Amino acid sequence: MAQRAAEAVVQEFALSTSEDHVKNASVLDFGCGTGLCAFHVVPMVAHLVGVDASEGMLNHLNHKLTTNPSNASIRDKVKTVQHLITYDDPLPESERLQYLTGPDAGFDMIYSSFVMHHIEDLQGTTNTLAQKLLKKDGWLIVLDFSGFHDHGHGHHADDEKHGHHHGPGSKPRDASTYYVDADGKPLEFVPHKAGFTNEGFVEIFKKAGLVDVEAKHSFGMNREWNGKTIWNDVLVVKGRRP
C-alpha cells in the first residue's frame, strides 16, 4: 500500500508540473512515520524532509536509512525532523531558517500518505501545510481512505481501470468497527474512522487557499485488518498554492 501511495504521489506531481521539476524538487513528507512511503518517493526527487511527532518512528526510519545497504543511494537526500507542526510553529527554528526563509522559501511539494484520518483539525492542518510550508506554485497532495468493504467474492486486478472499487458480495461497513483495540473499544486516535469523500477534501483545500484542486479515486486493494480481509478505496486530492 505504501508503494502504491508513493507511486500515486509522484505520478500526480509529475502530471501537475514537469519531469525536471520533479527531479529537482524539495519535498516534505508530513507524518512520515518509519519511512514506508518516503523511501519510494525520495529516489524520484532531489531532497526529502520527513516530519513526524513521534521520536520512536523517526528512530526506526533513521535506523533503516543508515543500516540497510539498499538505502545507501538515498541517505544524503533525506532529513528527518521530530516536530508537531502547527500554524504558529510549522518547523523548528533551525529548519525554519533552512527551508522557510529567502526567495526560494518553502517546499515544491508536500504530501501525506494515510495520515489525515488521524488528524482531528483537518482544516487547520491543511491551512498550515498550504500557507506556511508550501512554496508558491507548489503542490499539496494527500492520499487517504475513502471506503472500507468486507471481502466478498474477490476483486479483480483491473478493478481500478473500470471504476469497480469493490467486488460483488462485498458490502460497505462502518469503518469504526475496524479501528478498535483488543477489547473492542474504539481507538481514540483515529478521529476520521469513516474515511473521506472527494467533495469534502476539495472544500478543505479550497478554504486553505489552494487552486487547481482535484480529488479522485486513486487505487484500491485488499489488506488484512484484525483478522479480516477488507477492501480499501483510496482517494488522492491535490491543490496548488497560487
Side-chain angles (χ1 to χ4, degrees), residues 28-32 52 85 110-130 133 140-146 179 189-197 201 204-205 208 210 235-237:
L28 184 141
D29 182 334
F30 171 65
C32 63
D52 203 285
I85 289 177
I110 299 172
Y111 73 90
S112 77
S113 171
F114 309 114
V115 173
M116 289 300 197
H117 62 274
H118 293 287
I119 304 296
E120 187 170 0
D121 183 9
L122 285 176
Q123 190 65 64
T125 297
T126 304
N127 290 351
T128 300
L129 297 176
L133 292 163
L140 176 62
I141 302 176
V142 169
L143 276 93
D144 217 306
F145 300 115
S146 61
Y179 291 113
F189 59 84
V190 187
H192 302 281
K193 298 180 179 67
F196 302 103
T197 65
F201 251 126
I204 289 170
F205 270 44
L210 298 173
L235 64 81
V236 59
V237 56

Side-chain angles (χ1 to χ4, degrees), residues 3-240:
Q3 182 175 351
R4 293 286 298 275
E7 292 169 352
V9 165
V10 174
Q11 179 182 32
E12 291 301 326
F13 186 36
L15 288 172
S16 305
T17 181
S18 66
E19 289 188 10
D20 284 342
H21 192 191
V22 173
K23 292 177 183 178
N24 295 307
S26 176
V27 171
L28 184 141
D29 182 334
F30 171 65
C32 63
T34 63
L36 292 176
C37 191
F39 285 173
H40 295 291
V41 172
V42 69
M44 310 298 177
V45 301
H47 182 65
L48 185 144
V49 177
V51 180
D52 203 285
S54 169
E55 181 181 7
M57 291 281 192
L58 293 181
N59 285 343
H60 190 49
L61 186 160
N62 287 318
H63 177 75
K64 292 190 293 183
L65 193 63
T66 56
T67 62
N68 190 332
S70 65
N71 293 325
S73 62
I74 64 172
R75 286 171 190 162
D76 293 338
K77 298 172 64 174
V78 179
K79 180 181 178 67
T80 58
V81 179
Q82 183 191 355
H83 189 66
L84 181 62
I85 289 177
T86 66
Y87 197 83
D88 294 328
D89 189 21
L91 285 177
E93 183 177 2
S94 60
E95 281 75 24
R96 278 204 306 272
L97 292 173
Q98 182 177 358
Y99 297 106
L100 302 182
T101 59
D104 202 38
F107 293 90
D108 297 291
M109 190 260 283
I110 299 172
Y111 73 90
S112 77
S113 171
F114 309 114
V115 173
M116 289 300 197
H117 62 274
H118 293 287
I119 304 296
E120 187 170 0
D121 183 9
L122 285 176
Q123 190 65 64
T125 297
T126 304
N127 290 351
T128 300
L129 297 176
Q131 299 167 14
K132 292 288 189 172
L133 292 163
L134 199 60
K135 185 182 297 185
K136 183 179 179 181
D137 285 328
W139 287 86
L140 176 62
I141 302 176
V142 169
L143 276 93
D144 217 306
F145 300 115
S146 61
F148 299 78
H149 302 268
D150 281 338
H151 181 73
H153 297 121
H155 302 277
H156 303 289
D158 60 347
D159 274 350
E160 295 93 332
K161 296 179 183 179
H162 300 288
H164 301 148
H165 304 160
H166 51 86
S170 63
K171 57 182 179 180
R173 283 288 300 274
D174 178 359
S176 63
T177 62
Y178 301 119
Y179 291 113
V180 295
D181 61 19
D183 298 322
K185 297 179 180 178
L187 296 175
E188 295 182 359
F189 59 84
V190 187
H192 302 281
K193 298 180 179 67
F196 302 103
T197 65
N198 294 352
E199 296 78 11
F201 251 126
V202 166
E203 182 179 0
I204 289 170
F205 270 44
K206 288 184 176 179
K207 284 184 177 178
L210 298 173
V211 298
D212 300 329
V213 179
E214 179 185 0
K216 61 186 178 183
H217 177 262
S218 180
F219 65 90
M221 64 189 301
N222 280 320
R223 66 173 178 149
E224 298 298 319
W225 186 267
N226 286 347
K228 299 178 181 178
T229 301
I230 59 172
W231 177 261
N232 291 144
D233 287 318
V234 176
L235 64 81
V236 59
V237 56
K238 63 180 180 180
R240 178 178 63 86

